Short mmCIF file of all heavy atoms in Angstrom, two decimals:
data_model
loop_
_atom_site.label_atom_id
_atom_site.label_comp_id
_atom_site.label_asym_id
_atom_site.label_seq_id
_atom_site.Cartn_x
_atom_site.Cartn_y
_atom_site.Cartn_z
N CYS A 305 -10.33 4.55 12.12
CA CYS A 305 -9.11 4.01 11.52
C CYS A 305 -7.91 4.92 11.80
O CYS A 305 -6.81 4.44 12.06
CB CYS A 305 -9.29 3.81 10.01
SG CYS A 305 -10.50 2.54 9.63
N PHE A 306 -8.13 6.25 11.77
CA PHE A 306 -7.02 7.16 12.10
C PHE A 306 -6.63 7.02 13.57
O PHE A 306 -5.46 7.03 13.92
CB PHE A 306 -7.39 8.62 11.77
CG PHE A 306 -7.63 8.87 10.29
CD1 PHE A 306 -8.78 9.51 9.85
CD2 PHE A 306 -6.71 8.44 9.34
CE1 PHE A 306 -9.00 9.74 8.49
CE2 PHE A 306 -6.93 8.67 7.97
CZ PHE A 306 -8.08 9.31 7.55
N MET A 307 -7.65 6.86 14.43
CA MET A 307 -7.33 6.65 15.85
C MET A 307 -6.53 5.37 16.05
O MET A 307 -5.66 5.28 16.90
CB MET A 307 -8.61 6.58 16.68
CG MET A 307 -9.17 7.94 16.99
SD MET A 307 -10.67 7.81 17.95
CE MET A 307 -10.05 7.18 19.47
N ALA A 308 -6.86 4.37 15.25
CA ALA A 308 -6.19 3.06 15.37
C ALA A 308 -4.81 3.07 14.72
O ALA A 308 -4.13 2.05 14.72
CB ALA A 308 -7.07 1.98 14.74
N GLY A 309 -4.41 4.23 14.16
CA GLY A 309 -3.03 4.32 13.70
C GLY A 309 -2.82 4.49 12.21
O GLY A 309 -1.67 4.50 11.74
N ALA A 310 -3.90 4.63 11.43
CA ALA A 310 -3.69 4.89 10.00
C ALA A 310 -3.17 6.32 9.85
O ALA A 310 -3.66 7.22 10.54
CB ALA A 310 -4.99 4.72 9.23
N SER A 311 -2.19 6.53 8.98
CA SER A 311 -1.70 7.90 8.82
C SER A 311 -1.47 8.23 7.36
O SER A 311 -0.62 9.04 7.03
CB SER A 311 -0.44 8.14 9.65
OG SER A 311 0.51 7.18 9.35
N SER A 312 -2.25 7.59 6.51
CA SER A 312 -2.15 7.92 5.09
C SER A 312 -3.41 7.42 4.38
O SER A 312 -4.03 6.44 4.81
CB SER A 312 -0.92 7.23 4.53
OG SER A 312 -0.90 7.34 3.14
N ILE A 313 -3.76 8.15 3.32
CA ILE A 313 -4.89 7.71 2.48
C ILE A 313 -4.53 7.93 1.01
O ILE A 313 -3.61 8.68 0.70
CB ILE A 313 -6.20 8.51 2.76
CG1 ILE A 313 -5.97 10.03 2.57
CG2 ILE A 313 -6.76 8.22 4.13
CD1 ILE A 313 -7.25 10.84 2.43
N PHE A 314 -5.28 7.28 0.15
CA PHE A 314 -5.24 7.62 -1.27
C PHE A 314 -6.38 8.59 -1.51
O PHE A 314 -7.54 8.29 -1.17
CB PHE A 314 -5.45 6.38 -2.15
CG PHE A 314 -4.26 5.47 -2.17
CD1 PHE A 314 -4.33 4.19 -1.62
CD2 PHE A 314 -3.06 5.87 -2.73
CE1 PHE A 314 -3.23 3.35 -1.64
CE2 PHE A 314 -1.95 5.04 -2.75
CZ PHE A 314 -2.04 3.78 -2.20
N ALA A 315 -6.07 9.76 -2.07
CA ALA A 315 -7.14 10.72 -2.38
C ALA A 315 -7.18 10.96 -3.88
O ALA A 315 -6.21 10.71 -4.59
CB ALA A 315 -6.91 12.02 -1.63
N GLY A 316 -8.29 11.48 -4.33
CA GLY A 316 -8.52 11.65 -5.78
C GLY A 316 -9.71 10.79 -6.15
O GLY A 316 -9.96 9.78 -5.50
N GLU A 317 -10.45 11.21 -7.18
CA GLU A 317 -11.75 10.56 -7.41
C GLU A 317 -11.67 9.10 -7.84
O GLU A 317 -12.67 8.38 -7.79
CB GLU A 317 -12.64 11.38 -8.38
CG GLU A 317 -12.16 11.46 -9.80
CD GLU A 317 -11.21 12.64 -10.04
OE1 GLU A 317 -10.66 13.20 -9.07
OE2 GLU A 317 -11.00 12.97 -11.20
N LYS A 318 -10.44 8.65 -8.22
CA LYS A 318 -10.30 7.25 -8.60
C LYS A 318 -9.11 6.63 -7.88
O LYS A 318 -8.12 7.32 -7.61
CB LYS A 318 -10.05 7.16 -10.10
CG LYS A 318 -11.20 6.51 -10.84
CD LYS A 318 -10.72 5.77 -12.06
CE LYS A 318 -11.16 6.36 -13.36
NZ LYS A 318 -10.48 5.79 -14.50
N LEU A 319 -9.23 5.33 -7.57
CA LEU A 319 -8.05 4.59 -7.12
C LEU A 319 -7.27 4.30 -8.40
O LEU A 319 -6.79 5.20 -9.04
CB LEU A 319 -8.48 3.34 -6.35
CG LEU A 319 -9.10 3.63 -4.97
CD1 LEU A 319 -9.82 2.44 -4.41
CD2 LEU A 319 -8.02 4.10 -3.99
N LEU A 320 -7.17 3.03 -8.81
CA LEU A 320 -6.59 2.78 -10.14
C LEU A 320 -7.71 2.75 -11.17
O LEU A 320 -7.70 3.48 -12.14
CB LEU A 320 -5.79 1.46 -10.12
CG LEU A 320 -4.47 1.53 -9.35
CD1 LEU A 320 -3.86 0.14 -9.19
CD2 LEU A 320 -3.46 2.45 -10.03
N THR A 321 -8.72 1.91 -10.90
CA THR A 321 -9.84 1.82 -11.86
C THR A 321 -11.20 1.99 -11.17
O THR A 321 -12.20 2.14 -11.85
CB THR A 321 -9.84 0.45 -12.57
OG1 THR A 321 -10.12 -0.57 -11.60
CG2 THR A 321 -8.51 0.14 -13.23
N THR A 322 -11.24 1.93 -9.84
CA THR A 322 -12.51 1.99 -9.12
C THR A 322 -12.66 3.34 -8.40
O THR A 322 -11.66 4.03 -8.18
CB THR A 322 -12.61 0.83 -8.09
OG1 THR A 322 -11.56 0.98 -7.14
CG2 THR A 322 -12.50 -0.53 -8.76
N PRO A 323 -13.91 3.70 -8.04
CA PRO A 323 -14.12 5.03 -7.44
C PRO A 323 -13.53 5.18 -6.04
O PRO A 323 -13.31 4.19 -5.33
CB PRO A 323 -15.65 5.14 -7.37
CG PRO A 323 -16.20 4.02 -8.14
CD PRO A 323 -15.16 2.97 -8.25
N ASN A 324 -13.30 6.42 -5.68
CA ASN A 324 -12.74 6.80 -4.38
C ASN A 324 -13.56 8.03 -3.94
O ASN A 324 -14.17 8.67 -4.80
CB ASN A 324 -11.26 7.17 -4.62
CG ASN A 324 -10.41 7.10 -3.38
OD1 ASN A 324 -10.62 6.26 -2.51
ND2 ASN A 324 -9.41 7.97 -3.31
N PRO A 325 -13.58 8.38 -2.65
CA PRO A 325 -14.33 9.58 -2.26
C PRO A 325 -13.84 10.80 -3.04
O PRO A 325 -12.66 10.89 -3.36
CB PRO A 325 -13.98 9.73 -0.78
CG PRO A 325 -13.62 8.38 -0.32
CD PRO A 325 -12.97 7.70 -1.49
#
Side-chain angles (χ1 to χ4, degrees):
C305 293
F306 296 129
M307 279 180 68
S311 53
S312 171
I313 56 164
F314 287 114
E317 68 271 17
K318 247 210 248 169
L319 289 165
L320 288 171
T321 66
T322 62
N324 201 34

